[in-house]
Amino acid sequence: MKEIILCKYGEISLKGANRAYFEKLLRELLKKRTAAFGAFRIYSLQSTVYIEPENEDADVEGAYRAAKNTFGISAITRAVQTEKTTEAILETAKNQFMPYLEGAKTFKVEAKRSDKRFPLTSPEISAEVGGAILEASHGRLRVDVHHPDVCVRVEIRDLAAYLCAGQERAIGGMPIGSSGKGLLLLSGGIDSPVAGFMMAKRGVKIDAMHFESFPYTSERARMKVLSLAEKLTEYTGEIHVHIISVTHIQEALRDACEEDYFTLLLRRFMMRLSERTAEKFGCEALITGESLGQVASQTMEALNCTQAVCHMPVFRPAIGLDKEEIIQRARQIGTYETSALPYEDCCTVFTPRHPQTKPRLGKVEEQEAKIDVDGLLERALEGVEWVTVG
């Protein structure tokens, strides 16, 4: 018996003349993601990527988990490969395939005959394989074509035949890197990891930017953010996290500006610093976890004031989600528990009692005129740290 992993495309199937580029990128990503689990031959045919272990030492289960979380794959299954003859298929169904049905009480068989030269039609293949499984089960299994415990799939392809016990939904989306590179403003909160995941699913390669306020924020707060980045790498691959201290900026704002503008002014500094870092490291857009109206700095007026300092696009994939929707997505991708840890971040330092919710850009610029914006930016950029996770 030869076990193999079959990965079905999602949107890639619709890419027309550019499809070969996306297929190649997806194969390269799968090679990187599965390399930790042994040697695998990875190739694509007929809208499917095949992950084939090259020796018995390969960890097929580990490779399966990695492939399932690779953007670009819409469905995945572990299958038994056999010769493309009726006799070999039925022999495999009665013997090597039966362990895949352990625990099931009902089943049905669906067949797909991509190679039309095969002598049996799809309904005939389903009937023959179903009969072989019933015979081998000795009464343990019965057929249920409406609500089976397991749907057995038989695929007759150009190179071989494959039997699999159903398939799972994979993560979907587009291959990482197919839509450029973006810089995620990664706080320790719930929203920004979700935003990073959502843009990565659209094919964006992610770098991250984190702002800290030592000694007002602790080392635990930094480690929390790096842990969040590590969790994202399960989907995105390696992430470079750029860390910048904004303590001196916050202290300058405290000493010179009106309190109710502190948060808004700090956000404008963050956007400037992020854009400069993005340009330096080849990122084409900024990504934030902002959700319209969720906090004072995320009203439409406030967002307009913060974006006014940027020239590159700012993507806000969570802008129309409410908090419950964001929390639900955070739980799904495994970041919620870490985000919920009670460690402070820079946005909780010098928080105004009554922040501006409907600021006017002219008034904001009047406040900035009281401080040395360029000097504060240069000082911050001189102290940038860079940590690679994943």
Side-chain angles (χ1 to χ4, degrees):
M1 180 184 79
K2 186 170 187 178
E3 189 175 39
I4 192 169
I5 301 171
L6 304 181
C7 303
K8 306 290 186 178
Y9 296 165
E11 295 178 58
I12 292 178
S13 300
L14 308 175
K15 290 302 176 182
N18 295 321
R19 177 168 163 172
Y21 161 76
F22 291 97
E23 289 178 334
K24 181 180 178 182
L25 182 57
L26 180 57
R27 290 194 301 271
E28 290 173 350
L29 290 170
L30 286 168
K31 286 177 183 177
K32 291 180 181 178
R33 301 294 300 275
T34 60
F37 303 101
F40 294 89
R41 178 177 173 236
I42 298 177
Y43 55 97
S44 54
L45 287 169
Q46 299 171 298
S47 299
T48 301
V49 178
Y50 296 72
I51 303 177
E52 184 178 331
E54 294 189 336
N55 53 57
E56 294 182 357
D57 295 331
D59 179 1
V60 176
E61 181 60 35
Y64 182 93
R65 292 193 304 270
K68 185 179 177 182
N69 282 339
T70 299
F71 292 119
I73 302 299
S74 63
I76 187 170
T77 187
R78 293 170 68 168
V80 178
Q81 178 179 311
T82 187
E83 293 181 18
K84 199 170 53 176
T85 66
T86 302
E87 294 75 14
I89 293 170
L90 296 180
E91 179 66 23
T92 299
K94 286 190 289 188
N95 294 300
Q96 295 96 329
F97 189 70
M98 292 307 293
Y100 287 78
L101 301 176
E102 187 174 347
K105 295 181 180 179
T106 61
F107 76 101
K108 74 172 182 178
V109 180
E110 292 181 350
K112 181 179 180 180
R113 188 180 56 144
S114 299
D115 183 356
K116 303 304 182 185
R117 297 168 298 176
F118 193 77
L120 299 182
T121 65
S122 294
E124 289 171 340
I125 296 168
S126 297
E128 291 287 339
V129 171
I133 291 173
L134 283 174
E135 179 183 340
S137 73
H138 303 293
R140 178 175 66 84
L141 291 169
R142 62 182 177 85
V143 175
D144 182 345
V145 296
H146 299 294
H147 304 288
D149 294 334
V150 176
C151 178
V152 176
R153 296 176 60 86
V154 183
E155 299 192 16
I156 310 298
R157 292 180 170 265
D158 290 343
L159 298 180
Y162 303 90
L163 281 76
C164 57
Q167 61 184 13
E168 285 190 276
R169 290 187 63 180
I171 201 164
M174 295 296 296
I176 290 288
S178 63
S179 298
K181 184 179 179 183
L183 183 67
L184 170 67
L185 279 66
L186 183 62
S187 70
I190 298 169
D191 306 339
S192 56
V194 171
F197 173 88
M198 292 173 71
M199 292 309 302
K201 189 172 183 178
R202 300 310 309 150
V204 177
K205 172 66 178 171
I206 299 294
D207 271 11
M209 169 69 80
H210 176 62
F211 299 97
E212 63 180 10
S213 301
F214 185 82
Y216 303 105
T217 57
S218 66
E219 182 67 20
R220 292 183 304 177
R222 172 190 282 217
M223 296 310 298
K224 172 183 175 180
V225 168
L226 294 178
S227 295
L228 287 171
E230 185 74 36
K231 289 183 179 296
L232 285 177
T233 63
E234 296 176 16
Y235 309 97
T236 66
E238 184 179 82
I239 293 178
H240 303 306
V241 183
H242 309 274
I243 303 174
I244 293 183
S245 173
V246 291
T247 305
H248 64 290
I249 295 174
Q250 290 176 289
E251 291 174 340
L253 295 175
R254 176 198 61 191
D255 295 340
C257 302
E258 294 177 21
E259 180 186 325
D260 51 347
Y261 285 91
F262 283 178
T263 300
L264 187 57
L265 293 169
L266 178 61
R267 291 291 297 178
R268 283 165 62 89
F269 271 99
M270 289 178 175
M271 300 301 275
R272 292 183 178 104
L273 291 168
S274 297
E275 186 171 66
R276 293 193 187 186
T277 304
E279 290 171 345
K280 181 177 180 180
F281 290 93
C283 298
E284 302 163 88
L286 304 181
I287 303 166
T288 79
E290 291 162 317
S291 170
L292 188 63
Q294 189 175 122
V295 295
S297 63
Q298 295 174 18
T299 63
M300 194 171 292
E301 294 87 347
L303 291 173
N304 284 332
C305 287
T306 56
Q307 184 157 327
V309 300
C310 291
H311 302 289
M312 65 172 50
V314 180
F315 295 148
R316 299 178 172 94
I319 195 71
L321 302 180
D322 63 32
K323 197 65 177 182
E324 287 303 314
E325 291 171 315
I326 294 172
I327 289 173
Q328 181 182 7
R329 297 194 183 203
R331 292 187 188 278
Q332 290 171 348
I333 65 175
T335 58
Y336 176 76
E337 295 300 330
T338 301
S339 293
L341 293 173
Y343 304 143
E344 68 290 328
D345 62 37
C346 69
C347 293
T348 63
V349 179
F350 306 127
T351 303
R353 289 165 292 182
H354 304 290
Q356 284 285 338
T357 58
K358 295 183 179 295
R360 291 181 291 107
L361 182 58
K363 180 66 175 178
V364 173
E365 291 172 340
E366 285 179 14
Q367 294 295 310
E368 282 184 340
K370 300 177 180 180
I371 55 178
D372 179 9
V373 172
D374 290 337
L376 291 169
L377 289 172
E378 291 303 320
R379 180 178 169 187
L381 290 168
E382 288 173 359
V384 178
E385 296 181 53
W386 184 7
V387 180
T388 300
V389 298

